[in-house]
Amino acid sequence: MLYQKLAKFFATDIGIDLGTANCLVYVRDHGILINEPSVVAVAEGDNKREVVAVGEEAKRMLGRTPGHIKAIRPMKDGVIADFDITEEMLRYFIQKAIKKVPARRRFLHPRVLIAVPSGITEVETRAVKDSAQRAGAGEIYLIEEPMAAAIGVGLPVMEPSGSMIVDIGGGTTEVAVVSLSGIVEARSLRVAGDQIDQCIVQHLKRAHNLLIGERTAEQIKIRIGSATPQNDEATLEVKGRDLISGLPKTILITGEEIRQTLQEPLTSIIEAIRSTLEHCPPELASDLIDRGIMLAGGGALLRDIDKLISEETGLPVFVSDNPLQAVANGTGVVLQEMDAMAKALAATSAANKKRK
Ligand code: ADP
Ligand code: MG
């Protein structure tokens, strides 16, 4: 009992958004202390792999590594594409976050709350827990990503009325209707930011014989990408390798041209939202007419994606503040609540004892 009390006092509570593109770590009472790409650079030897860099440093190496070093995105193709590397990454981020808190708090294994995609299988759930445990976590709790995002952006998830959250990340888009602290209807599709980048790569190859890397494609999307026609269409110089001559070359592309290439992935996202709405109980669907749809995740930052979704669904659509931090902030709120709940429980049990 004393040990448990001490454990509560000394342990650090950590919330993790294990995203396919970015990993964020929220430390209770401190906020988001880690916010880095989910990338690991690995040196491949004869039959073993050694981690060379993690996060920001590893992302800079993407597509630029010499032969024996590979920059890996362990979560890229769905949930956990590479278990060992995910574990290494978790360990690195957990340790890095813990080093930032006062020494007395580092005494015991941290309590960890991890946000996972809603479509996650039993096996994948086990894998995430095992990885976190081996990475140094004490007690481990999981929360579904859309729920964490909904809480993080401040939707009234506990109320008996429906709210819709759409989290457009790197590898997956999560669409969910929540009510009374539960997910009523959800879709998880593997079309999001990465797929959009891929469309840009393919388009430049096909239309301009220009070969570019994923990172350049992402930059193009962020700089001039949009979901609906813009008043003044931006243009951008893009450098890559000419497929025919094999030499470096520069071309000029327009925002309009990029928008055309984004149509396919954007249509898939809208279809997922539509299908979720169609399967939503009518009472909750009618709540959404007033409440609208809340967007989170990095994909919510694509220019006018809110406008497009609104046009296609007829519902009001909002982009949350700090969409990239929604899930991590949600885990933070839950960590805070977990403690309040523990305190409330302790208080009632103390009151019960007195009564006896
Ligand atoms: P995940 O939760 O899967 O890690 P994030 O929510 O961190 O994903 O979002 C990452 C995605 O958001 C990437 O595909 C990135 O290219 C995209 N993104 C970030 N900023 C912007 C922007 N300004 N415009 C469009 N897309 C963006
Ligand atoms: Mg995410």
Side-chain angles (χ1 to χ4, degrees), residues 45-332:
D46 288 337
N47 43 28
K48 73 176 191 137
R49 303 189 294 181
E50 200 190 331
V51 172
V52 189
V54 182
E56 209 62 68
E57 200 185 339
K59 185 171 185 183
R60 278 198 297 271
M61 298 180 175
L62 263 185
R64 286 213 177 99
T65 51
H68 68 294
I69 296 180
K70 242 168 66 184
I72 298 177
R73 289 180 53 192
M75 316 280 301
K76 184 177 177 179
D77 307 306
V79 185
I80 297 188
D82 190 323
F83 293 106
D84 297 342
I85 300 295
T86 301
E87 189 178 318
E88 291 280 348
M89 187 174 80
L90 265 178
R91 184 197 312 280
Y92 176 87
F93 288 140
I94 290 176
Q95 295 305 328
K96 193 169 174 181
I98 288 178
K99 285 205 187 99
K100 295 188 177 188
V101 305
R104 73 175 170 80
R105 281 273 189 134
R106 290 186 222 156
F107 186 54
L108 294 164
H109 291 295
R111 281 197 294 191
V112 175
L113 173 68
I114 306 176
V116 293
S118 59
I120 191 169
T121 63
E122 201 66 34
V123 176
E124 288 168 330
T125 305
R126 228 2 315 142
V128 172
K129 282 192 168 172
D130 288 349
S131 295
Q133 198 141 41
R134 281 197 293 267
E139 288 168 67
I140 299 164
Y141 305 89
L142 300 184
I143 180 171
E144 288 176 299
E145 250 168 35
M147 183 53 88
I151 294 171
V153 303
L155 292 178
V157 298
M158 316 264 252
E159 283 175 22
S161 66
S163 305
M164 183 183 249
I165 180 93
V166 178
D167 177 351
I168 307 168
T172 57
T173 295
E174 306 265 338
V175 183
V177 174
V178 294
S179 170
L180 286 170
S181 308
I183 292 179
V184 180
E185 190 64 43
R187 299 283 179 281
S188 175
L189 75 155
R190 295 189 175 175
V191 176
D194 292 340
Q195 184 107 13
I196 292 180
D197 300 345
Q198 276 311 315
C199 286
I200 296 176
V201 171
Q202 294 306 328
H203 169 77
L204 289 188
K205 212 192 260 180
R206 241 181 288 124
H208 300 280
N209 286 320
L210 188 76
L211 205 58
I212 59 164
E214 273 170 42
R215 293 205 56 197
T216 305
E218 185 184 24
Q219 285 309 314
I220 295 171
K221 169 182 74 178
I222 293 174
R223 299 272 295 275
I224 63 168
S226 60
T228 65
Q230 306 289 299
N231 279 336
D232 57 287
E233 293 286 359
T235 56
L236 187 69
E237 269 188 2
V238 178
K239 299 189 186 78
R241 185 152 59 87
D242 190 301
L243 272 173
I244 295 162
S245 72
L247 298 174
K249 127 175 140 174
T250 305
I251 61 162
L252 197 68
I253 51 168
T254 67
E256 192 190 353
E257 180 180 343
I258 294 303
R259 186 169 52 255
Q260 303 291 343
T261 69
L262 304 191
Q263 241 156 34
E264 214 177 288
L266 291 180
T267 305
S268 304
I269 292 171
I270 285 162
E271 279 309 312
I273 297 174
R274 278 227 182 103
S275 143
T276 312
L277 288 169
E278 279 163 20
H279 288 85
C280 190
E283 296 289 355
L284 296 183
S286 66
D287 293 337
L288 298 179
I289 296 173
D290 306 319
R291 288 268 176 76
I293 301 172
M294 182 63 87
L295 304 184
L301 292 169
L302 182 71
R303 250 167 238 100
D304 285 342
I305 190 165
D306 49 340
K307 192 172 160 202
L308 179 71
I309 296 173
S310 181
E311 281 168 9
E312 296 291 327
T313 59
L315 295 177
V317 178
F318 310 95
V319 178
S320 63
D321 297 337
N322 304 318
L324 284 157
Q325 297 175 4
V327 172
N329 283 334
T331 65

